Amino acid sequence: MTSTLRGTCLALLALTGLSLLPGAARADDAVGGRVIVKFRSSSALKQIAAAGRVQSLAQRLGVTATLIGQPAPELHVMHARGISTAALAARLAQESDVEFAVPDRLKQAAALPNDPLFSAQWMLQTPDTTHPAAIDAVGAWTLSAGSSGVVVAVVDTGVRLDHEDLMSRLLPGYDFISDDLNAGDGQPGRDADPADPGDFVSSADLANSAFTQLCPGVSRASSSWHGTQIAGIVAAEANNSLGIAGVAGATRVLPVRALGKCGGFDSDIIAGMRWAAGLSVPGVPANTHPARVINLSLAGSGSCSAAYASAIAEIRAAGTLIVAAAGNETGPVEEPANCAGVLAVAGVRHVGTKVGYSSFGAEVGLSAPAGNCVNTATGSPCLFPFVNATNLGSTVPAANGYTGLTAQTVGTSFATPLVAGTAALMIAAHPGLGVTALGERLRASATAFPSDASLAACPTTTADGQCNCTTATCGAGMLNAKAAVQAAQAPEAAVAVSATPVAGSAVTLSAAASTTAPGATLVAWQWTQTAGPASAAFSNAAAASTSFNAPQAGTYSLRLTVTDDAGRQGSVDTTLDVQAPPPPAGGGGGGGAVDGPLLALLGAAASLAIAARRGVRRP
């Protein structure tokens, strides 16, 4: 098969949202499973013909199955209807006569994207001794091709909507820059055009006192086309024989313009974030394509403000993950990445140590390649830059193109969309994953940081800011896209409680809201108590729904673990605040009942006593 044909096949798979590569769900699972079985040498079934062995196993499992081949004398290809491949393999593996049972999967001719600059995208490749920080997007694509139903919002300078590597990936966005001088697009106020007109600062701008008052300290600069670069890292079209490949496959990009000539005001950025998540913004039409992920490749000094904290809480409640750059100041993590609820991304060099310019600190969730040049001499080429989609105009738009192979295209801005794009692949693999689970699985699947003997551990840095990352300064580890998608395929456990728990009374706990990857089914549940003032009782600790009865009041910690038919597990911990039962109605014990008139008299006397203590005269 030619490379062109292989690329076409993979492109068709990406367009349809299907993947027939190892580990992916298969359409034929709905009508039957196909498994390779080897019997133990001690099995009595080996005394009968091969077809009979398969029939005997099928009868035990209560399925209808046939022998469809023998690749070796000891191997049997078994096909059964009404059961998925994963479930059939799992059940067969539990039989005493079976040495192993494995899915009989389809393979495809392996081919990398045919985009001509893909080989220069070192950060997407499989990690090796030269690039241990590479994220293995290549491996992730064998598990998830992305989905056009998953949206990543890029809140940035806008996007060149006519870029040939992005046109098929873009959704209708919006321009949230409220000040005309900052917008520089000739359109008053906010509008429905998210195209980037260029964020250059000219001599005429600097001669305008109104502009310099709005943008103090801004100097003359060329256009960055920053939002176009970020959008390309997320979702540039792969296998189109043009330019580069984006991380997130068939994912769609929602362009949200919030940065102009001065940068972006918090009020515009927050409005853009909220709109991107599907929340209302006064004076702006509703967003009909809410994003599951928001990419913020922007940063500024200061601690997290109440305005950002409030918006982030709303956005997370809407089910949207926010991924933000830690900053490029070799110092504390900047706003909004330092806000609770944001997945902050620091930058590492190709070898996995902290890149000198990257900000770092306890707020970082994980790190990803941010680009670095190694060579520092004037005129030396940048050896490990990002090759990004861009526009070639220095001020206003000109022809579209790509950043040069030796350009100094580096920054935590570019590490961030690697994480956002990976999150999109994870959602495509398991659409039901919540915001918290996405962040947890990204961090849990990260690759451990390497160590360079010539560097100290962060926060101690060299003169140019380098250091060995630690989990206290650079997050959980280095982004591993393949491992993250694998982690996403596991089920997500969820617990619902029927009522406020009261000591001595049973409440119902349900796992019905738990989710699985497409094609998978939950087959096992396990409820356990991990802490509490007393040992509580479950009516059935191995059921999808169980009753829970705590003998006394207090806080109880519980864990639910669910297992799908492929043997993948997911767990969630929850706490129940069990209340004390209300006191019994009626009189007290020992002295008999108090009659009504006496009770009223006592109450009146108590009221007078309280009034006297407060100095209040009663009428």
Side-chain angles (χ1 to χ4, degrees):
M1 183 181 289
T2 66
S3 60
T4 300
L5 182 56
R6 289 196 299 267
T8 301
C9 290
L10 290 179
L12 288 172
L13 288 172
L15 288 171
T16 57
L18 298 176
S19 173
L20 297 180
L21 295 167
R26 296 229 315 263
D28 68 343
D29 283 353
V31 295
R34 179 173 172 140
V35 174
I36 302 172
V37 183
K38 182 179 181 181
F39 290 85
R40 295 185 184 277
S41 58
S42 58
S43 171
L45 293 179
K46 296 195 70 175
Q47 305 302 315
I48 61 177
R53 301 170 200 165
V54 168
Q55 291 296 330
S56 295
L57 282 180
Q59 290 173 4
R60 293 183 195 175
L61 301 183
V63 299
T64 301
T66 55
L67 174 70
I68 60 174
Q70 281 189 274
E74 301 299 318
L75 299 180
H76 306 67
V77 183
M78 177 178 179
H79 179 264
R81 292 194 171 276
I83 186 171
S84 72
T85 294
L88 179 61
R91 292 178 62 182
L92 286 170
Q94 298 174 7
E95 292 295 319
S96 59
D97 289 287
V98 174
E99 182 173 327
F100 64 75
V102 296
D104 188 16
R105 299 187 178 104
L106 284 169
K107 299 293 187 293
Q108 299 292 322
L112 295 175
N114 61 18
D115 307 79
L117 297 179
F118 177 71
S119 61
Q121 294 180 277
W122 59 269
M123 70 293 299
L124 302 186
Q125 313 297 330
T126 303
D128 56 25
T129 55
T130 303
H131 314 93
I135 70 169
D136 199 9
V138 173
W141 296 333
T142 68
L143 304 171
S144 174
S147 168
S148 60
V150 179
V151 178
V152 175
V154 173
V155 180
D156 216 286
T157 64
V159 174
R160 288 310 305 160
L161 307 180
D162 59 351
H163 198 292
E164 59 274 12
D165 230 357
L166 293 173
M167 293 172 62
S168 67
R169 296 290 188 255
L170 299 177
L171 294 168
Y174 212 83
D175 179 358
F176 281 88
I177 301 177
S178 54
D179 192 285
D180 297 346
L181 289 173
N182 190 26
D185 58 0
Q187 302 181 75
R190 293 172 174 170
D191 58 73
D193 183 5
D196 187 349
D199 56 357
F200 66 98
V201 176
S202 66
S203 298
D205 290 326
L206 297 177
N208 183 342
S209 60
F211 180 85
T212 55
Q213 288 175 8
L214 180 71
C215 312
V218 172
S219 58
R220 186 168 180 172
S222 298
S223 291
S224 67
W225 314 112
H226 193 262
T228 300
Q229 296 192 55
I230 302 305
I233 295 172
V234 173
E237 185 176 354
N239 283 308
N240 62 350
S241 300
L242 291 172
I244 61 173
V247 177
T251 298
R252 294 299 185 257
V253 168
L254 181 72
V256 179
R257 187 169 184 244
L259 307 183
K261 291 173 177 282
C262 312
F265 287 99
D266 290 337
S267 55
D268 292 341
I269 294 168
I270 289 170
M273 291 167 60
R274 294 185 75 261
W275 182 83
L279 303 174
S280 64
V281 176
V284 177
N287 172 18
T288 57
H289 300 92
R292 289 291 305 273
V293 183
I294 294 176
N295 186 96
L296 299 177
S297 289
L298 50 87
S301 60
S303 58
C304 182
S305 70
Y308 271 112
S310 175
I312 289 163
E314 286 186 277
I315 291 166
R316 283 182 61 88
T320 301
L321 175 71
I322 303 171
V323 186
N328 299 329
E329 301 302 321
T330 321
V333 177
E334 297 190 291
E335 188 186 37
N338 58 17
C339 295
V342 173
L343 183 59
V345 182
V348 291
R349 300 169 70 239
H350 64 291
V351 293
T353 55
K354 189 188 83 69
V355 66
Y357 55 78
S358 177
S359 298
F360 59 102
E363 300 93 342
V364 175
L366 76 168
S367 293
N372 56 283
C373 295
V374 180
N375 294 335
T376 57
T378 302
S380 297
C382 185
L383 297 184
F384 300 99
F386 274 69
V387 178
N388 295 335
T390 191
N391 188 273
L392 302 180
S394 59
T395 54
V396 297
N400 292 310
Y402 301 87
T403 57
L405 296 178
T406 58
Q408 189 171 337
T409 313
V410 301
T412 56
S413 280
F414 303 136
T416 304
L418 294 177
V419 177
T422 298
L425 290 178
M426 296 169 70
I427 296 168
H430 187 165
L433 279 181
V435 175
T436 299
L438 278 171
E440 289 175 346
R441 297 182 189 201
L442 276 162
R443 292 188 291 268
S445 61
T447 302
F449 294 114
S451 182
D452 183 338
S454 67
L455 298 174
C458 304
T460 302
T461 65
T462 61
D464 63 355
Q466 295 186 55
C467 53
N468 285 319
C469 278
T470 68
T471 54
T473 54
C474 302
M478 301 185 298
L479 173 65
N480 185 323
K482 181 180 180 180
V485 175
Q486 287 175 324
Q489 293 175 325
E492 181 182 9
V495 176
V497 185
S498 63
T500 301
V502 176
S505 299
V507 293
T508 300
L509 306 180
S510 173
S514 302
T515 63
T516 65
T521 303
L522 292 181
V523 296
W525 301 260
Q526 185 62 51
W527 302 85
T528 56
Q529 178 184 338
T530 57
S535 179
F538 296 98
S539 61
N540 186 346
S545 179
T546 185
S547 65
F548 173 82
N549 196 329
Q552 66 185 67
T555 299
Y556 291 76
S557 297
L558 310 179
R559 176 172 297 157
L560 167 65
T561 299
V562 296
T563 306
D564 69 13
D565 54 4
R568 298 173 297 219
Q569 291 188 325
S571 297
V572 64
D573 293 324
T574 189
T575 58
L576 295 182
D577 291 323
V578 177
Q579 307 299 307
V594 179
D595 63 19
L598 180 58
L599 187 61
L601 180 63
L602 291 173
S607 296
L608 288 171
I610 293 171
R613 287 198 299 271
R614 293 177 176 171
V616 177
R617 295 187 64 182
R618 299 288 295 244

